[in-house]
Amino acid sequence: MRLLHIIFFTLLFTFYLYPQSIIINEIYNSSSNDEWIELLVVQDSLDLRGWDIRDFSSNGSAQQPLVFTNNNLWSNLKKGTIIIVARSENAFAEDLDASDYLLIVKSNNALYLTGNPFLIAGSSEAIQIRNNSQVHIFGVSWGTANANSLPNPKVHLAGPAVSSTSVFFKEDDVSKLTNTANWTMCGPPSMGIGNTAANIYWIQSLRARVDGSGSVTMTPQIVSGDSIITLSFNYVREPAYNINTLRIIFPQGFTWAQNVSQVSINNFTASTTVSGDTILFSDIVFLQDSVNI
């Protein structure tokens, strides 16, 4: 299982460097129980199955979480998708079609969520999202009682939260999440559309297909033993864009010849060079939209 072992640890390393695959973008606090949390997916093809939302009481006690089920709705979310997780008391309808980058799911819908619904406390609150290993991803808190409830990365605001208002992120990059100046307490709710001009533009840019987009598959994906194998990469470009460079970067510790003579290509021409663990294809001319390396 040498190949699987190496890819597994590479993914762990990447996850540590970029933990915000999803963020809390807005929290609506109500005088009643019709509250909701807006999440924003910032990593493509995100699998939320088994992840959870956990909140803390007004005195800083961790509550039981609300868990995303194993339903396929959560298995492959596009970046730029907004997810409204709402308590069942809300009058608005659910939206279970992710193709428009918006999902609205109520906490009592057992197909998609299970566990304990959150209840937002105005005086002091902490809300976090955790992955399927219950590892903290990001959180928002306010008030003295919850100042130390969450680990980093988080943003902690002074509070309190006024009923029928929202706590929301104003900016356009995950690097700005933990700065309190980039958040608004007690602002007008804006469910599902973004919170400010900068926030709306960021969400739209996450949904855009940038120059160089396309898809790639690799075979085989699982290998048993330490035998020598041939890896095949199939890349399908987006023909609307001009793509003239491709790179394959192998994870550290992967054993291979690091020799251009070991690399063959089909359906495109290119200048091929090898530098360490990187194969670079430059000056590419595509003969077909689907190519093989």
Side-chain angles (χ1 to χ4, degrees):
M1 301 293 289
R2 182 177 178 83
L3 177 59
L4 181 60
H5 175 80
I6 291 165
I7 292 176
F8 175 73
F9 280 103
T10 302
L11 290 176
L12 280 183
F13 179 71
T14 303
F15 184 76
Y16 177 77
L17 286 177
Y18 304 100
Q20 284 83 40
S21 48
I22 187 170
I23 69 163
I24 298 170
N25 199 49
E26 184 176 357
I27 301 166
Y28 176 68
N29 174 47
S30 173
S31 58
S32 184
N33 292 336
D34 56 337
E35 297 169 324
W36 44 267
I37 296 172
E38 179 180 282
L39 307 176
L40 174 62
V41 177
V42 295
Q43 172 190 305
D44 223 6
S45 305
L46 180 63
D47 187 346
L48 275 186
R49 290 175 296 181
W51 290 44
D52 66 55
I53 298 170
R54 184 171 71 161
D55 78 312
F56 289 67
S57 69
S58 59
N59 63 11
S61 300
Q63 306 299 294
Q64 290 300 308
L66 183 66
V67 183
F68 294 89
T69 68
N70 285 326
N71 192 281
N72 283 337
L73 178 71
W74 306 123
S75 65
N76 188 22
L77 296 166
K78 298 176 290 187
K79 65 180 179 180
T81 298
I82 290 176
I83 304 168
I84 305 298
V85 180
R87 286 186 58 101
S88 60
E89 292 85 352
N90 281 281
F92 52 73
E94 291 186 307
D95 181 347
L96 304 175
D97 179 6
S99 64
D100 61 352
Y101 292 92
L102 177 64
L103 289 169
I104 302 174
V105 184
K106 293 188 177 179
S107 58
N108 65 339
N109 191 331
L111 280 175
Y112 307 107
L113 296 165
T114 183
N116 184 49
F118 48 84
L119 185 61
I120 309 301
S123 59
S124 184
E125 179 62 86
I127 299 170
Q128 67 179 159
I129 185 163
R130 303 186 298 177
N131 69 13
N132 57 9
S133 298
Q134 297 185 328
V135 173
H136 173 82
I137 301 301
F138 180 67
V140 178
S141 59
W142 60 82
T144 303
N146 280 290
N148 299 308
S149 295
L150 302 178
N152 291 319
K154 67 178 180 181
V155 63
H156 181 75
L157 305 161
V162 176
S163 295
S164 303
T165 66
S166 282
V167 178
F168 58 75
F169 183 50
K170 298 187 293 186
E171 286 299 333
D172 55 3
D173 192 85
V174 292
S175 65
K176 302 177 181 179
L177 278 171
T178 58
N179 186 339
T180 57
N182 296 327
W183 288 79
T184 290
M185 288 287 299
C186 309
S190 54
M191 188 181 80
I193 60 173
N195 307 317
T196 63
N199 191 250
I200 292 169
Y201 178 80
W202 180 42
I203 293 169
Q204 294 297 325
S205 70
L206 289 171
R207 297 172 181 177
R209 301 199 67 178
V210 299
D211 195 1
S213 62
S215 61
V216 64
T217 56
M218 181 185 75
T219 54
Q221 295 184 342
I222 299 175
V223 178
S224 300
D226 293 325
S227 58
I228 297 174
I229 61 169
T230 298
L231 286 176
S232 178
F233 300 89
N234 181 253
Y235 172 72
V236 181
R237 68 166 179 158
E238 172 53 63
Y241 300 108
N242 294 319
I243 301 164
N244 55 23
T245 302
L246 293 174
R247 287 183 177 86
I248 297 175
I249 304 173
F250 290 97
Q252 186 176 10
F254 188 92
T255 303
W256 66 294
Q258 297 185 342
N259 191 316
V260 71
S261 65
Q262 299 292 307
V263 181
S264 63
I265 61 176
N266 293 290
N267 298 333
F268 72 105
T269 63
S271 174
T272 305
T273 57
V274 172
S275 177
D277 283 323
T278 300
I279 305 173
L280 172 65
F281 304 96
S282 56
D283 301 322
I284 291 177
V285 175
F286 285 90
L287 307 179
Q288 296 184 20
D289 289 334
S290 177
V291 303
N292 185 262
I293 303 167

